[in-house]
Amino acid sequence: MQAFLPADILMPRVDSMEKWAVIACDQFSSQPAYWERVRETAGDAPSTINLILPEAELGTPQEAAHTALINETMAKYLKEGVFQTYAHSFVYVERTLESGAIRKGLVGMVDLDAYDYASGSTSAIRATEKTVVERIPPRMRVRKDAPIELPHILMLCDDHDKVLLEPIAAGKETLPKLYDFDLMEGGGHITGWLVQGKAVDDFEARLADYTAHLGEKYKGLPGVPMVFAVGDGNHSLATAKACYEELKKAHPGEDLSSHPARFALVELENIHDEAQVFEPIHRVITHTDPSAMLKALEDWCAPGGFPVEWYIGQDHGIVYLDKARSQLAVGVLQAFLDQYLSEHPGEIDYIHGDADLKELAAQDGAIGFLLPAMEKSQLFRGVIADGILPRKTFSMGHAREKRYYLEGRAIK
């Protein structure tokens, strides 16, 4: 069985898709006012805000009450016929971003038996960054009794030749259009087309051929090639995996090969899509001796290494980090910082903007490292060769460009 498959996709039958679709639960976690506006916008209309638990509510008095209400509302929506099922289908998606770029995706389901988020995994689907297991239980409390799932997971393929999604895009005018609307709260525009029948068969044939030739793509690279990487929503996918593993433990010896909990709905995107922008996440260390840190970093450098700019007060320069230590500059730097800070004083922070990094590095007792943007082709090679990448390796676009909840799937 392939790792990415067509699904029985649930689509809402509602008067307002704008009120239905809301952004991923892990966004704006420190801005409860954002979520208050979302609830005001949705009002009494059917909306995914009633089917998810925003992380802004984690640890609050309303968390438990909302978790119970989510499952009740899911059951209510199912009973009232809010959803229509499109069997054995994909949904081809085009998301128009604030920049005007159009990001292409394909909604389908992944086989959780082909996914492992552990470091050193050799599975077909792998996490790109370390999974924080403490973040899984709150999500499990929502999913374990839920009759349906709504994904915000973005999964990536390393399709440089654009043989998987792009043929669907080229023929989209022949497909039935499912939705076409503006997303709330500045999320841009989204359009979706139903992919069924021969279009599904053709995609699966292309995916089988793509998968069969992975060894040629990563020839000479240490490690086992992978088919897909989780670009966003890894903790949600890890939660689906944890719930599925619990189900297997509770039903030893039973055939669960076709159980809906074995699968999880995701949106597949091509890392080489022109609209995919990987932004670097810089490092600043405060309350440390910056000169001593820079001196210690010399042992991690080598001629011809990754160039990384450093800033101390008004001074700055370039270090060349040893490429033999990692496929990525951030891999070398983060390993050094983890080791150094375990033995010396200092506090690390992760900064997105170049100007913000330089301003913070101008403080007394601070040093900043301005990392280069990761090349798209480095992501898969880094995970295959080095295992899970260092935390805060890259950011896939801005907060409002994350996936909105829209399609669903039954998991009971």
Side-chain angles (χ1 to χ4, degrees):
M1 181 179 286
Q2 293 188 156
F4 182 70
L5 305 151
D8 294 343
I9 295 177
L10 301 177
M11 285 300 307
R13 291 184 281 206
V14 295
D15 294 332
S16 173
M17 290 296 286
E18 290 88 346
K19 293 181 179 181
W20 171 261
V22 307
I23 206 165
C25 66
D26 56 351
Q27 299 305 305
F28 304 102
S29 56
S30 60
Q31 296 170 254
Y34 174 95
W35 294 100
E36 290 173 11
R37 291 197 308 272
V38 169
R39 293 189 186 280
E40 289 174 5
T41 299
D44 295 329
S47 174
T48 54
I49 188 59
N50 302 317
L51 306 179
I52 64 155
L53 182 71
E55 289 196 3
E57 295 182 5
L58 290 180
T60 65
Q62 64 263 39
E63 178 186 345
H66 281 185
T67 299
L69 185 59
I70 286 167
N71 292 334
E72 291 176 16
T73 307
M74 286 180 176
K76 177 174 177 284
Y77 283 1
L78 287 168
K79 183 178 179 180
E80 294 178 350
V82 169
F83 295 105
Q84 178 175 350
T85 303
Y86 292 94
H88 197 71
S89 302
F90 295 114
V91 176
Y92 170 66
V93 176
E94 288 188 351
R95 173 82 174 273
T96 304
L97 307 176
E98 185 179 6
S99 65
I102 297 175
R103 193 175 70 203
K104 298 178 287 292
L106 190 67
V107 178
M109 66 183 187
V110 292
D111 182 354
L112 293 170
D113 275 335
Y115 162 67
D116 183 359
Y117 58 77
S119 180
S121 165
T122 58
S123 58
I125 306 169
R126 297 176 209 170
T128 51
E129 296 185 350
K130 183 178 179 180
T131 302
V132 181
V133 294
E134 292 80 10
R135 294 181 63 184
I136 295 176
R139 290 174 166 83
M140 287 186 71
R141 287 193 289 271
V142 175
R143 187 180 177 95
K144 66 181 177 128
D145 296 321
I148 63 174
E149 65 173 357
L150 298 138
H152 72 261
I153 300 157
L154 295 178
M155 195 170 68
L156 299 171
C157 57
D158 186 16
D159 183 14
H160 187 274
D161 295 328
K162 300 183 177 178
V163 299
L164 295 178
L165 305 184
E166 283 72 14
I168 297 177
K172 67 184 179 184
E173 299 306 326
T174 66
L175 303 175
K177 188 178 287 186
L178 290 174
Y179 51 79
D180 189 358
F181 65 100
D182 290 333
L183 295 159
M184 70 166 75
E185 289 289 327
H189 192 87
I190 192 163
T191 311
W193 291 264
L194 181 64
V195 181
Q196 283 187 319
K198 185 177 184 300
V200 168
D201 297 338
D202 290 347
F203 172 81
E204 292 196 291
R206 295 196 303 273
L207 178 56
D209 183 69
Y210 172 88
T211 303
H213 291 90
L214 277 179
E216 300 168 18
K217 182 191 293 283
Y218 305 113
K219 191 174 182 179
L221 192 68
V224 178
M226 64 180 180
V227 186
F228 303 117
V230 184
D232 232 349
N234 182 62
H235 288 88
S236 291
L237 193 59
T239 298
K241 175 78 168 180
C243 288
Y244 173 50
E245 294 299 328
E246 282 202 352
L247 180 69
K248 289 195 290 186
K249 288 179 183 178
H251 299 272
E254 287 190 32
D255 180 11
L256 300 175
S257 59
S258 298
H259 195 286
R262 175 180 169 175
F263 307 94
L265 208 61
V266 306
E267 181 180 331
L268 174 64
E269 297 183 349
N270 185 4
I271 199 172
H272 298 287
D273 187 322
E274 291 79 3
Q276 286 286 1
V277 177
F278 281 16
E279 299 180 350
I281 303 178
H282 310 306
R283 271 65 171 160
V284 63
I285 299 86
T286 56
H287 304 101
T288 192
D289 182 338
S291 298
M293 176 176 286
L294 193 60
K295 177 69 174 175
L297 185 56
E298 290 178 358
D299 291 338
W300 293 67
C301 296
F306 297 113
V308 172
E309 293 183 69
W310 58 263
Y311 290 82
I312 301 175
Q314 300 304 312
D315 295 332
H316 75 277
I318 299 176
V319 290
Y320 295 88
L321 302 181
D322 188 355
K323 290 184 176 180
R325 292 180 178 266
S326 175
Q327 290 283 317
L328 301 172
V330 66
V332 184
L333 180 62
Q334 190 65 50
F336 163 76
L337 293 175
D338 288 344
Q339 178 178 309
Y340 185 87
L341 294 176
S342 70
E343 302 167 353
H344 302 85
E347 298 177 9
I348 188 170
D349 199 1
Y350 302 91
I351 309 299
H352 287 263
D354 294 14
D356 293 336
L357 182 282
K358 294 173 185 177
E359 181 179 340
L360 290 167
Q363 304 174 80
D364 290 338
I367 180 172
F369 295 97
L370 196 69
L371 284 156
M374 183 179 69
E375 294 182 14
K376 295 178 181 181
S377 59
Q378 290 181 299
L379 177 64
F380 275 68
R381 297 182 67 84
V383 174
I384 292 168
D386 298 339
I388 291 172
L389 302 179
R391 60 192 176 277
K392 305 292 186 182
T393 295
F394 65 95
S395 173
M396 287 179 61
H398 303 295
R400 285 179 169 80
E401 297 175 352
K402 304 299 183 180
R403 192 170 205 282
Y404 277 57
Y405 298 106
L406 222 167
E407 300 86 358
R409 189 181 71 91
I411 55 175
K412 295 291 186 187

